Amino acid sequence: KPGYAVGISSGGGSFDVSADETRNIEVQAAQNKGTVSGSVTGMGAALAEGAAVTLKGTSVADGQEKTFTGTVTDGGYQVGDVLEGTYGVTLEKSGLTVMVTGGGMVSVADGDITNDIEISVSLNTGTVSGTVKDGGGTPLSGGTVALSGNSTVDGKVRTFSAVTDAD
């Protein structure tokens, strides 16, 4: 059956049986499994620490959708005991943009150790713009504008500032 490894544990794997003879043998079947691991790189890699890496797809053995998870630790991740099949690889954390090598898909076969599924992480950024004017509506230059707030990635307070020009 696809997705299983089958072994005969008695009789040495081969034997002869005569016409009127009955022989009992023990057959063992186990689902094929593999491991997927890789690195987390990019400007936001340190902020991905502790995030869940999810493999979601269809098992060859039973045709059912399966989900397996691992955790980003020390710049990498490992997801073990993944049943044979094809899976999409994702990492989700608020405030991060994620790209996975190979289009985010990985195929797992029995005993596979897939080590090169890289997840590249960058910070989501935005732009704040506007004009600082005096009471008469004239644009001011040389003023400092500061923006402060909690990061959606790690909850820390971040402060940004810029100096105005007259435009």
Side-chain angles (χ1 to χ4, degrees):
K1 180 174 180 172
Y4 284 87
V6 178
I8 298 174
S9 61
S10 61
S14 79
F15 48 86
D16 295 321
V17 178
S18 61
D20 294 329
E21 183 181 3
T22 300
R23 184 165 299 199
N24 291 323
I25 61 170
E26 186 176 319
V27 177
Q28 296 176 338
Q31 286 188 315
N32 294 336
K33 296 179 181 179
T35 299
V36 176
S37 62
S39 58
V40 178
T41 63
M43 292 179 56
L47 297 172
E49 194 74 13
V53 174
T54 303
L55 276 64
K56 189 173 187 177
T58 304
S59 163
V60 170
D62 61 10
Q64 300 293 312
E65 188 170 283
K66 306 288 184 187
T67 301
F68 302 92
T69 59
T71 303
V72 176
T73 306
D74 297 326
Y77 68 93
Q78 180 171 315
V79 183
D81 291 331
V82 179
L83 297 177
E84 184 175 0
T86 301
Y87 300 90
V89 181
T90 59
L91 179 150
E92 289 187 31
K93 187 166 184 182
S94 180
L96 298 179
T97 299
V98 178
M99 292 200 39
V100 182
T101 58
M105 298 300 292
V106 63
S107 292
V108 177
D110 189 33
D112 271 359
I113 300 176
T114 305
N115 290 317
D116 45 1
I117 306 300
E118 182 179 304
I119 300 174
S120 179
V121 180
S122 60
L123 295 171
N124 292 339
T125 59
T127 302
V128 176
S129 63
T131 303
V132 177
K133 298 178 182 180
D134 66 12
T138 303
L140 297 175
S141 63
T144 300
V145 176
L147 174 66
S148 181
N150 292 343
S151 167
T152 59
V153 176
D154 60 9
K156 293 182 179 178
V157 174
R158 305 281 187 211
T159 301
F160 304 92
S161 62
V163 177
T164 63
D165 58 19
D167 295 328

